[in-house]
Amino acid sequence: MKTIPTQTIENVRWNDVAEELDRSGSARIEGLLGSAQCEALAGLYPRDDCFRKTVVMARHGFGSGEYKYFRYPLPEPIQELRTAIYPHLAPIANRWNETMGVDVRYPPDHAAFLARCHDAGQTRPTPLLLRYEAGDYNCLHQDLYGAHVFPLQLTILLSAPGRDFDGGEFVLTEQRPRMQSRPEVVPLSQGDAVIFAVHYRPVEGTRGFYRVQMRHGVSRVRAGRRHTLGIIFHDAA
């Protein structure tokens, strides 16, 4: 499978990503992957040798549809994305934790953070490929797999809206203390990525910063088939 050029990640305007994450809790990166890369990654779904576990969402009350967790070693493009993007997000995660009064700090490279996860027994890889058919959806949730949680994650839309599927919007909600939840739909095209808060993020109020809780999901797919790639930076217990 074709590798991800390092320049693809370096060309992202990471300062803009940081500002958008601070402002709304999510940031879109347009055209992170090309259509051929997207289709090659989606084409991995039938290959059971790539995956350690399949989850049928309806059996667990997670929604409707399926996803599969990759096994180690990860396919090369996914390993490259996970390793190359993490160093750009770790400073944001550290700044957020400092703002929220959380003592945890994240090392500058992903290998060091994974070593922390593995020392705590979180050794199972979490990158995953999701497949939705017409009528499928994903309930609002948080991807927490143990005590060690990296507070940002990435989803890449591998299918083309309007051609491969209709509906199936990526949805975020933000729960602020003593307020009703704020929803946000992030429009994505094939190859676009969205980076978003896994669990909490800081929001500035009139009396300083406070913590809000985030959840994400996918609205009902109305027609066709939708594939996405999820990259979570902590491993699972």
Side-chain angles (χ1 to χ4, degrees):
M1 185 178 296
K2 193 174 181 180
T3 59
I4 307 295
T6 303
Q7 202 61 34
T8 298
I9 306 302
E10 298 305 318
N11 285 343
V12 173
R13 300 173 66 172
W14 290 105
N15 288 338
D16 292 349
V17 169
E19 289 176 8
E20 186 61 25
L21 283 167
D22 288 346
R23 188 161 45 242
S24 67
S26 68
R28 186 176 58 171
I29 301 174
E30 296 183 6
L32 182 65
L33 297 184
S35 59
Q37 291 169 316
C38 290
E39 286 157 17
L41 288 167
L44 294 176
Y45 200 85
R47 287 185 47 183
D48 288 340
D49 59 312
C50 293
F51 302 97
R52 65 175 178 84
K53 185 178 182 180
T54 300
V55 175
V56 178
M57 288 192 259
R59 294 177 185 167
H60 305 276
F62 297 163
S64 178
E66 277 188 9
Y67 54 84
K68 295 181 176 181
Y69 289 106
F70 286 97
R71 66 171 75 247
Y72 279 134
L74 299 173
E76 193 171 359
I78 298 172
Q79 180 65 49
E80 291 168 342
L81 287 167
R82 204 182 190 204
T83 301
I85 289 175
Y86 172 92
H88 296 281
L89 302 182
I92 301 170
N94 285 331
R95 179 166 52 77
W96 279 14
N97 274 6
E98 183 176 1
T99 301
M100 294 188 292
V102 177
D103 291 335
V104 176
R105 296 292 181 270
Y106 301 95
D109 69 276
H110 191 233
F113 177 63
L114 279 186
R116 182 188 298 177
C117 292
H118 293 181
D119 287 347
Q122 292 180 223
T123 58
R124 297 186 297 168
T126 51
L128 70 165
L129 198 56
L130 303 98
R131 187 182 71 185
Y132 304 88
E133 308 281 359
D136 289 344
Y137 61 94
N138 196 345
C139 296
L140 295 170
H141 66 282
Q142 298 168 324
D143 293 311
L144 309 173
Y145 300 109
H148 293 281
V149 175
F150 188 75
L152 294 162
Q153 69 185 75
L154 175 78
T155 289
I156 303 173
L157 182 60
L158 302 179
S159 305
R163 185 193 70 188
D164 298 331
F165 71 98
D166 290 316
E169 294 88 357
F170 183 82
V171 180
L172 288 162
T173 63
E174 180 178 275
Q175 179 61 62
R176 302 186 179 201
R178 299 177 298 281
M179 297 173 69
Q180 294 182 330
S181 296
R182 182 181 72 86
E184 179 161 333
V185 173
V186 182
L188 298 172
S189 299
Q190 185 182 38
D192 288 354
V194 55
I195 299 171
F196 54 97
V198 174
H199 194 193
Y200 296 111
R201 79 176 186 95
V203 170
E204 188 171 14
T206 55
R207 299 180 180 178
F209 283 92
Y210 60 95
R211 186 185 306 193
V212 300
Q213 185 165 195
M214 306 287 293
R215 296 184 189 277
H216 65 277
V218 174
S219 70
R220 180 169 58 90
V221 173
R222 297 180 182 275
R225 175 179 287 175
R226 178 189 192 273
H227 283 101
T228 56
L229 170 67
I231 296 182
I232 297 162
F233 295 95
H234 46 274
D235 276 350

